Amino acid sequence: MTVKTNGTLFGAAYYLEYMPYDRIDTDFKLMKAAGMNVIRIAESTWSTWEPQDNIFDFTLLHRMLDKAVEYGLNVIVGTPTYAIPAWLIKKHPDIICQTIDDHPIYGHRQIHDITNTDFLYHADRIITKVVQEVRDYPNVIGYQIDNETRSGDAASPRVQKLFLEDLKNKYPDIEEFNKEFGLDYWSNRIDSWLDMPDIRGTINGSLSAAFKAWHRERISKYQMWQRSIIKANARPDQFITHNYDYSWKGYSFGIQPLVNQRQAAEAVDIPGVDIYHKTQDMFEGDTIAFGGAIGRSLKKSSYLVLETQSQGRLDWTPYPGQLRQAYYSHLSSGASSLMYWNWHSIHNSFESYWRGILSHDLEPNSTYQELAETRKEGLKIDSLICNLKKECKVAILADNRSLTGLDEFPISDISDTEYKPKDNWNNPAERPESLDYNTILRWVYDTLYKMNIEADIIYAQDINLLDSNELKNKYPMLIVPALYSASQETIIRLKEYVLKGGHLIATFKSFYSDQELKIYNDLQPHGMTDIFGVKYQQFTRPDGVKVIFKESETDLEKKNIHTAHWMEMLMPDKDEYIWATYDHKYWGKYSAVIHKNMDKTPDNTLPGSATYIGCFMEKTGLEYIFKKVAQIAKINIPEQHFPVIIKEGKNELGKHISYYFNYSDKPVEISYSGSFGKELLSDKSIKTGEKLMIPDWGLKIIMTD
């Protein structure tokens, strides 16, 4: 099913069952007055819909749907399977996961084993009942599978037996299994599958990572299972979605380590995402942009924002203007909906202070007013800005196995936990306390973002599916951050990409191990030494080490480009490949950044290039590298830099839409360099070279042919 929303969906999660009293008419009137056209319901209250085994009560569900019809609100109905009822645990206590920490105590969500047959029986029944109850409502436009699905980290003997059966199918020769996983170490070898020990005690990173990957596959299969139940009972015109989330650092941050979302999204017609971001002085728009890139990556299409905050947690209360700016920030990334979690603040239990649009007094407030005013403004131009199609020239390769690899073998695995760095970065806020996969991924993405180079997120399977010429033409510049786990197939395709004329940038910790995290036993970077023109055998933690760029026309050599956490001693094949070296008494003989231009391609198109970054450095240095490679790849870089952010795409009429955001508390003036067009919010014509004043936390939207 191809899903195309008729205009931007704008609304919130609504839970009548959580309300201190029935005020549904008041709420829906306020929603309509604010320009809302959709609500998301039902996904978290299985015990309300089925208070006892096989006894169902959908009174509140029907009340919400009947009133939604009355007020003209579309509805997305969630399957209520991520939080299980107490009676189910009493009847089948083994549904609660047995994990490495033994059994969780009932109360929290997602503590159940999604492979448990008793759970699946009851989940099938409640999903079927819910869909059958709601499917004939004309305003039910779609269904949400579960909620930010997790596996519960199940590790019971039954679960481990399932895992073992898959291992046996993958490795019918047990000797091959021992060799691939290096199980001779510490006598972990097994010569009979009957001797397989409890996975919870393993010290083998490859085996631990394989079990985590198995759990990710179970989630993908579980979502496909739910899809089949919904499809068997829903109307053909109703879509299926899921709210995929991110790693968490007090807000949405990197790719989700517990779910292979690219694979899991095969179960949905249109993916949804939950994006929570910093606000006030920390609001930079980067998390919204990154979250949107993930959303687009899942089906190579538009996506729904199913959850984001209006007020949210204590430090998320936005400054005036930031809700408006966030609204357009999501749409400029290609979102087809903007839905808040949630409409009303909760009066009891766990999420009482994850405030909704309305505070605990349930009265309209400044948050409500700003959203209503923004929506009124946005509706005037909605047909021109909804379902924006992005056309990025740069892609970043993201990889779950590499994320797991750097969890199993962390960069921060150092001998002295009390280590304090000698140097102070020029911008200390840029220096993370530790370095993991998602920090490296966001280091790359955020640097591009602030340079106004928009980027897509892609995955190894995308590279393996696309022809090398197609990949090069679509993405002239491809960045590979910390691809620790690299299959031979992926390595071959990346080499072909460069030889066909693509421009590849890889960071440290790439091409180090295979898919089972077995470290390659040749010179690093494995299989790519010829493409990059470099090799290395040693690495260390930089302590007071700086990077010096060789280019004389730049003043970067006069600056101190600090490093941290990790550096590789790069040895280039030729001095001409050296872009930067280390500034250090002993490590100075090694290179820090290598760039190699390829020969012309067989069809005489422009030659490709390969750049290797051997250390984690300040973004100033990374920005310089990206700028140089972008120029070689003939990718335009706008003059404007953060806090002015430019985001572009084409609307459904084929017109070019350019957003100019000011993510700061001071007005900024820019010189418009685009072609003649119209500024949509003011409905005024604009010409090349015209000065644009963008107020604090403000924006301009310009449409051109």
Side-chain angles (χ1 to χ4, degrees):
M1 175 190 288
T2 300
V3 177
K4 180 180 175 183
T5 57
N6 183 22
T8 301
L9 294 172
F10 181 65
Y14 186 76
Y15 307 107
L16 180 60
E17 61 272 24
Y18 293 170
M19 281 292 189
Y21 59 94
D22 188 335
R23 43 171 283 136
I24 195 167
D25 285 291
T26 299
D27 289 322
F28 284 8
K29 285 177 184 177
L30 287 170
M31 287 182 182
K32 293 298 291 185
M36 291 187 172
N37 58 10
V38 64
I39 56 173
R40 187 170 64 100
I41 66 172
E43 88 279 0
S44 58
T45 41
W46 185 343
S47 62
T48 303
W49 315 137
E50 189 178 8
Q52 291 295 326
D53 186 8
N54 208 27
I55 297 173
F56 301 94
D57 183 355
F58 296 111
T59 304
L60 291 177
L61 183 58
H62 285 296
R63 179 154 172 74
M64 286 187 284
L65 290 170
D66 290 337
K67 285 295 181 180
V69 169
E70 181 181 336
Y71 285 92
L73 290 168
N74 294 306
V75 182
I76 298 172
V77 178
T79 62
T81 46
Y82 81 108
I84 53 181
W87 62 259
L88 181 56
I89 291 302
K90 185 176 182 180
K91 183 176 182 180
H92 300 290
D94 61 333
I95 286 177
I96 290 187
C97 289
Q98 180 180 344
T99 69
I100 194 169
D101 300 316
D102 203 25
H103 291 281
I105 297 173
Y106 177 78
H108 214 286
R109 66 184 188 180
Q110 293 167 327
I111 57 172
H112 55 280
D113 176 3
I114 61 172
T115 71
N116 181 282
T117 54
D118 292 317
F119 166 74
L120 293 172
Y121 168 80
H122 288 278
D124 186 332
R125 190 173 69 187
I126 190 63
I127 295 167
T128 300
K129 287 283 188 181
V130 167
V131 176
Q132 289 177 348
E133 289 289 323
V134 307
R135 65 186 174 192
D136 293 328
Y137 282 87
N139 58 336
V140 173
I141 58 174
Y143 301 91
Q144 176 187 300
I145 294 173
D146 204 67
N147 178 84
E148 298 178 355
T149 303
R150 301 288 187 267
S151 69
D153 297 326
S156 67
R158 183 190 59 79
V159 168
Q160 293 194 47
K161 184 178 180 181
L162 294 173
F163 171 58
L164 181 60
E165 290 303 313
D166 282 356
L167 278 180
K168 289 163 67 174
N169 290 332
K170 187 173 183 180
Y171 296 99
D173 181 354
I174 197 170
E175 184 56 39
E176 182 188 359
F177 170 67
N178 278 290
K179 184 176 180 180
E180 181 61 30
F181 285 77
L183 293 176
D184 284 311
Y185 186 79
W186 283 6
S187 292
N188 278 197
R189 175 187 178 86
I190 60 170
D191 285 288
S192 167
W193 292 112
L194 296 174
D195 296 334
M196 186 74 174
D198 192 321
I199 191 70
R200 294 177 298 169
T202 187
I203 50 84
N204 185 286
S206 295
L207 193 54
S208 174
F211 192 46
K212 292 175 182 176
W214 183 84
H215 273 298
R216 292 195 294 269
E217 290 171 5
R218 298 289 75 69
I219 289 173
S220 297
K221 290 181 178 180
Y222 173 70
Q223 290 196 353
M224 190 62 75
W225 174 79
Q226 285 220 22
R227 174 187 176 84
S228 67
I229 298 170
I230 296 169
K231 279 294 184 185
N233 292 281
R235 295 198 319 262
D237 62 310
Q238 294 169 326
F239 64 76
I240 296 175
T241 188
H242 175 78
N243 55 331
Y244 296 100
D245 65 339
Y246 304 83
S247 72
W248 191 254
K249 287 183 65 173
Y251 57 95
S252 304
F253 185 66
I255 64 171
Q256 174 53 252
L258 302 178
V259 186
N260 183 343
Q261 294 179 339
R262 175 72 170 84
Q263 180 188 58
E266 293 176 8
V268 303
D269 300 311
I270 181 169
V273 292
D274 293 351
I275 301 176
Y276 293 94
H277 55 87
K278 294 177 287 187
T279 60
Q280 300 179 19
D281 294 331
M282 303 297 288
F283 185 40
E284 298 183 341
D286 51 349
T287 296
I288 290 176
F290 176 81
I294 295 293
R296 297 193 306 271
S297 77
L298 300 180
K299 301 287 280 190
K300 312 305 175 193
S301 65
S302 61
Y303 60 96
L304 305 175
V305 175
L306 291 173
E307 290 186 22
T308 190
Q309 83 262 24
S310 51
Q311 297 185 86
R313 304 172 82 186
L314 177 64
D315 54 345
W316 287 353
T317 304
Y319 291 155
Q322 288 185 336
L323 284 169
R324 174 178 180 260
Q325 195 177 43
Y327 175 92
Y328 291 109
S329 296
H330 285 289
L331 297 184
S332 68
S333 291
S336 296
S337 79
L338 191 58
M339 302 180 68
Y340 299 92
W341 200 93
N342 57 354
W343 169 251
H344 52 91
S345 297
I346 307 297
H347 292 78
N348 291 96
S349 200
F350 194 73
E351 293 174 319
S352 292
Y353 285 92
W354 282 68
R355 290 168 297 158
I357 295 170
L358 302 185
S359 297
H360 290 110
D361 60 7
L362 300 177
E363 295 294 327
N365 52 26
S366 59
T367 296
Y368 171 84
Q369 296 297 339
E370 184 171 329
L371 287 177
E373 291 166 6
T374 298
R375 181 60 171 172
K376 182 178 180 181
E377 172 191 66
L379 279 173
K380 296 176 183 177
I381 60 172
D382 192 59
S383 63
L384 301 176
I385 62 174
C386 69
N387 297 318
L388 195 69
K389 183 179 180 181
K390 308 288 288 184
E391 296 179 344
C392 302
K393 294 295 184 183
V394 178
I396 301 171
L397 179 66
D399 185 62
N400 270 105
R401 285 187 175 269
S402 295
L403 186 159
T404 303
L406 293 189
D407 281 347
E408 295 293 335
F409 303 102
I411 290 174
S412 58
D413 181 21
I414 56 177
S415 56
D416 182 6
T417 56
E418 298 300 319
Y419 165 72
K420 296 188 184 304
K422 289 181 180 178
D423 54 38
N424 293 312
W425 283 35
N426 296 316
N427 183 1
E430 282 188 6
R431 190 189 196 284
E433 292 184 4
S434 61
L435 203 58
D436 58 18
Y437 178 85
N438 273 323
T439 300
I440 299 168
L441 177 63
R442 286 297 300 267
W443 173 61
V444 167
Y445 185 90
D446 293 354
T447 300
L448 290 169
Y449 171 79
K450 291 191 175 182
M451 296 173 68
N452 281 311
I453 299 178
E454 293 195 84
D456 281 341
I457 300 294
I458 61 174
Y459 306 89
Q461 67 191 87
D462 299 321
I463 288 177
N464 297 337
L465 288 172
L466 277 176
D467 174 82
S468 298
N469 270 320
E470 289 179 307
L471 184 63
K472 178 259 297 185
N473 292 334
K474 185 173 178 62
Y475 299 116
M477 183 169 157
L478 173 60
I479 305 173
V480 179
L483 188 65
Y484 182 79
S485 172
S487 70
Q488 288 297 138
E489 183 182 14
T490 299
I491 289 171
I492 290 170
R493 298 309 298 274
L494 289 173
K495 293 178 76 167
E496 290 175 350
Y497 166 80
V498 175
L499 295 173
K500 292 288 187 180
H503 299 274
L504 177 69
I505 303 174
T507 78
F508 55 93
K509 279 299 211 179
S510 291
F511 315 110
Y512 211 82
S513 71
D514 67 12
Q515 287 184 292
E516 302 291 8
L517 305 190
K518 182 180 181 180
I519 296 172
Y520 290 117
N521 60 355
D522 56 356
L523 288 170
Q524 298 291 344
H526 168 75
M528 298 291 283
T529 54
D530 56 335
I531 288 293
F532 291 114
V534 73
K535 59 183 177 291
Y536 72 92
Q537 297 171 300
Q538 293 182 300
F539 46 80
T540 191
R541 178 183 59 200
D543 194 3
V545 180
K546 299 178 180 63
V547 168
I548 300 176
F549 285 89
K550 293 181 65 177
E551 293 279 340
S552 58
E553 71 266 18
T554 177
D555 64 353
L556 272 174
E557 62 184 7
K558 300 175 184 177
K559 296 181 181 178
N560 294 321
I561 306 300
H562 294 77
T563 63
H565 299 298
W566 183 270
M567 61 177 283
E568 295 162 354
M569 282 74 156
L570 303 182
M571 299 178 288
D573 295 343
K574 296 180 180 180
D575 287 348
E576 65 189 69
Y577 299 160
I578 302 172
W579 266 10
T581 57
Y582 296 115
D583 181 14
H584 189 269
K585 180 178 180 180
Y586 301 108
W587 308 140
K589 65 179 180 179
Y590 296 107
S591 298
V593 182
I594 295 295
H595 175 84
K596 179 183 176 182
N597 291 313
M598 302 295 126
D599 296 328
K600 280 194 174 181
T601 58
D603 56 358
N604 288 321
T605 57
L606 289 172
S609 70
T611 306
Y612 191 87
I613 303 168
C615 62
F616 183 78
M617 67 179 74
E618 289 178 286
K619 289 179 181 175
T620 303
L622 193 62
E623 184 172 319
Y624 173 69
I625 297 166
F626 290 164
K627 183 177 181 181
K628 289 279 289 181
V629 177
Q631 289 171 341
I632 295 168
K634 300 188 180 305
I635 294 172
N636 178 58
I637 303 176
E639 293 181 6
Q640 289 82 11
H641 194 279
F642 183 84
V644 175
I645 290 295
I646 304 170
K647 296 169 76 174
E648 300 178 299
K650 286 189 176 180
N651 68 11
E652 294 182 315
L653 302 175
K655 302 285 188 179
H656 191 87
I657 303 293
S658 299
Y659 285 81
Y660 292 80
F661 293 96
N662 173 17
Y663 291 102
S664 77
D665 61 356
K666 296 179 177 60
V668 296
E669 184 180 78
I670 65 169
S671 179
Y672 174 65
S673 59
S675 57
F676 179 82
K678 178 186 286 187
E679 203 289 304
L680 296 179
L681 295 174
S682 62
D683 196 29
K684 293 181 180 178
S685 297
I686 185 168
K687 58 185 179 181
T688 305
E690 188 170 335
K691 300 295 183 184
L692 286 178
M693 180 63 70
I694 309 177
D696 54 313
W697 311 114
L699 72 149
K700 302 289 183 182
I701 309 174
I702 299 172
M703 183 174 71
T704 57
D705 290 328

